[in-house]
């Protein structure tokens, strides 16, 4: 058997927000929220669970660890007309991370706010309204969101980290949630914890051990615990590392462009057919012109296979979400 210090924060190489809820991530002290829906992105940023002393405000929030504004270095491997696409509009999305899964560069464990070098932003957003204003600030011709000067997650001493023990070769269940849906797809990976600890974790380490999904069956888990199963869509063609498996984000954003909306109902329709009734939308919306928040009342369930013959020890679980929006 082996154990890992589970790291499952939002590995989001664009402005999408979400997080793995189960197994519990580093940011979830004691695993107190587990896979509860609607509260998934409040992990680490409310009441006594906020990481006061690390930042000026309370931004340990699980959905705020990512890499912002990154692009693929070459040509797309997911074609314009591929059913793996998650946005079908007139915007050029050919350089977005999901168009060549796994090739864009990013911080392997995320950085709070996505822009650790600043990129013209203030150190932290004082309010959600200020966050929306920050989206309008271009840097090298690219609109960038999030906030600047946040810490690399590898350098943060997260309290009460939960470890999980699994048997080599077994199948495990994972649960993740979305607060800002930017489409794309995701992959699960393992990295053996370096001798000097998580500060030495690299993307190259994760690339050595991508995990495979057990078939294509996925589920939407609602707030009351009810699950509805459906067939997902995965690919190993044109991915990096070569042959690694990636699952399309099954939740369609709103038409026309999927951005923050004045309604969570997608009045113009969705980018593609929802997997189950009600499982669609962006997640963040503006009410009467004022920035607001609407959390999806469900999470996404997958089953992934651990490699047989793993050397016993501590491993880090990585959830990498390459977005298209």
């Amino acid at each position: 058997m082996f154990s890992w210090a589970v790291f499952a924060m939002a590995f989001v190489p664009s402005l999408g927000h979400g997080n793995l809820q189960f197994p519990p991530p580093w940011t979830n002290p004691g695993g107190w929220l587990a896979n509860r829906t609607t509260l998934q992105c409040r992990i680490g940023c409310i009441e006594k669970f906020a990481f006061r002393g690390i930042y000026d405000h309370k931004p340990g929030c699980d959905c705020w660890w990512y890499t912002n504004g990154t692009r693929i270095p070459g040509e797309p491997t997911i074609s314009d007309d591929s059913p793996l696409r998650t946005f079908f509009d007139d915007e050029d999305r050919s350089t977005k991370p999901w168009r060549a899964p796994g090739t864009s560069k990013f911080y392997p464990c995320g950085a709070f706010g996505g822009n650790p070098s600043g990129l013209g932003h203030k150190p932290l957003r004082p309010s959600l309204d200020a966050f929306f204003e920050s989206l309008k600030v271009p840097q090298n011709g690219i609109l960038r969101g999030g906030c600047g000067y946040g810490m690399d997650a590898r350098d943060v001493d997260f309290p009460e980290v939960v470890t999980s023990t699994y048997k080599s070769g077994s199948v495990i269940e994972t649960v993740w949630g979305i607060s800002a849906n930017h489409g794309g797809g995701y992959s699960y990976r393992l990295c053996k914890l370096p001798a000097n600890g998580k500060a030495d974790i690299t993307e190259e380490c994760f690339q050595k051990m991508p995990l495979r999904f057990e078939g294509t069956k996925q589920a939407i888990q609602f707030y009351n615990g009810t699950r509805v199963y459906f067939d997902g869509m995965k690919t190993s063609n044109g991915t990096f590392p070569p042959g690694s498996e990636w699952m399309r984000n099954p939740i369609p954003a709103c038409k026309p462009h999927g951005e923050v909306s004045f309604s969570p109902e997608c009045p113009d329709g969705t980018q593609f057919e929802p997997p189950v009734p009600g499982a669609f939308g962006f997640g963040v919306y503006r009410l009467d012109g004022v920035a607001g928040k609407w959390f999806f009342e469900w999470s996404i369930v997958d089953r992934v296979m651990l490699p047989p013959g793993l050397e016993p020890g501590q491993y880090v679980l990585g959830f990498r979400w390459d977005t298209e929006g």
Side-chain angles (χ1 to χ4, degrees):
M1 303 184 75
F2 71 99
S3 65
W4 61 46
V6 177
F7 175 72
M9 301 175 200
F11 290 175
V12 190
S14 184
L15 185 59
H17 300 290
N19 67 300
L20 197 63
Q21 299 164 242
F22 187 83
W26 285 349
T27 51
N28 187 352
W32 72 288
L33 277 179
N35 61 351
R36 291 175 60 189
T37 58
T38 71
L39 297 179
Q40 58 260 34
C41 287
R42 300 185 73 190
I43 295 173
C45 59
I46 60 175
E47 300 175 352
K48 68 177 181 179
F49 301 102
F51 303 134
R52 295 183 178 94
I54 297 178
Y55 306 97
D56 295 333
H57 301 278
K58 297 192 291 187
C61 309
D62 203 14
C63 294
W64 274 82
W65 299 90
Y66 53 89
T67 304
N68 195 38
T70 187
R71 298 291 186 265
I72 63 174
E75 295 297 316
T77 58
I78 292 180
S79 64
D80 290 343
D81 59 354
S82 170
L84 292 165
R85 293 285 309 279
T86 53
F87 281 86
F88 299 90
D89 53 23
D90 56 4
E91 183 176 334
D92 181 9
R93 302 181 186 273
S94 61
T95 63
K96 295 299 181 74
W98 177 237
R99 297 302 299 276
T103 62
S104 59
K105 302 297 183 182
F106 75 112
Y107 294 87
C109 297
F112 183 79
N115 306 299
S117 61
L119 297 174
H121 290 291
K122 295 180 180 179
L124 290 169
R125 63 185 183 96
S127 68
L128 196 58
D129 278 321
F131 163 65
F132 281 107
E133 288 301 314
S134 76
L135 294 178
K136 303 175 184 178
V137 180
Q139 176 72 22
N140 296 327
I142 300 174
L143 292 177
R144 298 184 182 274
C147 61
Y149 309 106
M151 296 179 68
D152 187 317
R154 292 171 293 183
D155 299 326
V156 177
D157 185 20
F158 294 101
E160 302 179 51
V161 172
V162 174
T163 60
S164 305
T165 301
Y166 293 93
K167 186 177 181 180
S168 177
S170 63
V171 176
I172 67 169
E173 188 171 88
T174 60
V175 183
W176 72 287
I178 299 171
S179 83
N181 183 14
H182 285 269
Y186 55 95
S187 175
Y188 293 96
R189 309 90 60 75
L190 285 183
C191 170
K192 196 171 192 308
L193 189 66
N196 293 327
K198 62 187 179 72
D200 287 345
I201 292 172
T202 64
E203 174 63 8
E204 289 73 22
C205 180
F206 281 122
Q207 290 171 349
K208 293 177 181 177
M209 211 179 310
L211 302 182
R212 303 186 75 81
F213 294 91
E214 185 191 46
T216 59
K217 193 66 69 177
Q218 296 181 280
I220 295 296
Q221 176 173 292
F222 291 91
Y223 183 77
N224 62 5
T226 301
R227 289 184 178 183
V228 180
Y229 289 87
F230 60 93
D231 288 320
M233 188 180 299
K234 66 180 181 179
T235 185
S236 57
N237 296 322
T239 60
F240 189 84
S244 58
E245 269 193 356
W246 294 69
M247 186 73 76
R248 185 189 70 165
N249 174 3
I251 308 304
C254 298
K255 288 182 177 178
H257 304 294
E259 298 95 338
V260 177
S261 163
F262 284 93
S263 169
E265 300 300 329
C266 293
D268 295 321
T270 58
Q271 295 291 335
F272 54 91
E273 189 70 20
V276 303
F280 62 83
F282 185 79
V284 179
Y285 75 103
R286 302 196 72 171
L287 181 62
D288 296 328
V290 179
K293 200 75 172 178
W294 177 67
F295 288 104
F296 292 135
E297 295 186 349
W298 36 261
S299 301
I300 302 162
V301 181
D302 293 292
R303 288 172 62 84
V304 296
M305 300 183 292
L306 301 179
L310 277 176
E311 177 185 349
Q314 284 197 312
Y315 291 77
V316 180
L317 174 64
F319 169 63
R320 174 167 171 158
W321 176 14
D322 278 20
T323 62
E324 189 179 12

